[in-house]
Amino acid sequence: MSAVLLSPVLAATSTDLTWAEIPALVLPALGDTLVMVGVTMAVVVVLGVPLGVALDALGPGGLTPRPVLHRVLSAVVSVGRSLPFLILMAALVPFTRFVTGTNIGIPAAVVPMALAGTAFFSRIVENSLRSVPPSLVRVARASGASPLQVLTSVKLSEAVPSILGGLTINTIAMIEYSAIAGTIGAGGIGYVAVTYGYQRFDHNVMITTIVVLVALVAAVQALGDAAVRATTPHSRRRLPRQRSSTGAAPPPSSSSTTPTSASTSPKELSDVHH
């Protein structure tokens, strides 16, 4: 009886693709995943940055507080973040078909991935802007800077490393979402893993897709870390080393040495922080 039950598995295992055949299957799927994630992240950045800036500026203590509008935007973003991606993807099928004309393939996967990623990234941008020291904003306002100048020369400038770190996390999340989207025929590594690795019990394909996904995530994380280091001022990067090697208090940061005179111009303020 046990031999009869195990026979389908054994038969499927005996037809595993050879290691020489796997690249022809996995490499095109990797290309589909890169296209899916790349297009999604382009949409996420274009929509998520302005939305995150609006959430910060319209909120309490923002540059232009608008409580009612802030609550509406915050509620919409919270709905987009609260739904699990698989449920969101299923709920958006009519909208996806209206936008793309299909509910399968890469275009159909980009729509729910972009909406979920935008909601997530906008919160990252909002929190990054909120983390900018209020003293910098007060100095900029005292120097006569307009809200737009404060936003571009102070808040966004100081928040760039944090935003890039959040963008890295978001990109990795989109890689995971692309694997989930593969279950509805969107293509990519997820589709290969489910169709050939899981349903056909092909262990060679399953192992290969796992290795490819791990390597892809590691590469994205390494690039993101490098971007964060490149955009972090040298004075900030030296603080941990000085604190650990000497135990002495770190030198004053740029925020403590920024001129507080009302005669300081927005351009001078921007030069100080850069």
Side-chain angles (χ1 to χ4, degrees), residues 2-27:
S2 60
V4 175
L5 292 176
L6 291 175
S7 58
V9 178
L10 295 175
T13 304
S14 63
T15 59
D16 285 357
L17 293 178
T18 64
W19 293 110
E21 296 172 325
I22 287 179
L25 177 68
V26 173
L27 291 180

Side-chain angles (χ1 to χ4, degrees), residues 111-186:
V111 173
M113 287 173 60
L115 292 178
T118 298
F120 182 47
F121 189 57
S122 63
R123 288 297 189 190
I124 292 176
V125 174
E126 179 190 16
N127 292 332
S128 298
L129 294 175
R130 282 182 179 178
S131 67
V132 175
S135 60
L136 301 181
V137 177
R138 289 195 295 268
V139 169
R141 283 178 164 173
S143 67
S146 66
L148 181 59
Q149 289 173 323
V150 174
L151 174 64
T152 56
S153 299
V154 179
K155 303 204 76 172
L156 281 175
S157 177
E158 290 287 325
V160 164
S162 178
I163 292 175
L164 288 177
L167 184 64
T168 302
I169 297 173
N170 205 345
T171 303
I172 293 174
M174 291 304 103
I175 294 175
E176 297 172 359
Y177 286 1
S178 71
I180 298 175
T183 61
I184 63 167

Side-chain angles (χ1 to χ4, degrees), residues 204-218:
N204 294 345
V205 172
M206 184 62 73
I207 292 172
T208 302
T209 54
I210 291 173
V211 171
V212 169
L213 285 173
V214 170
L216 182 59
V217 169

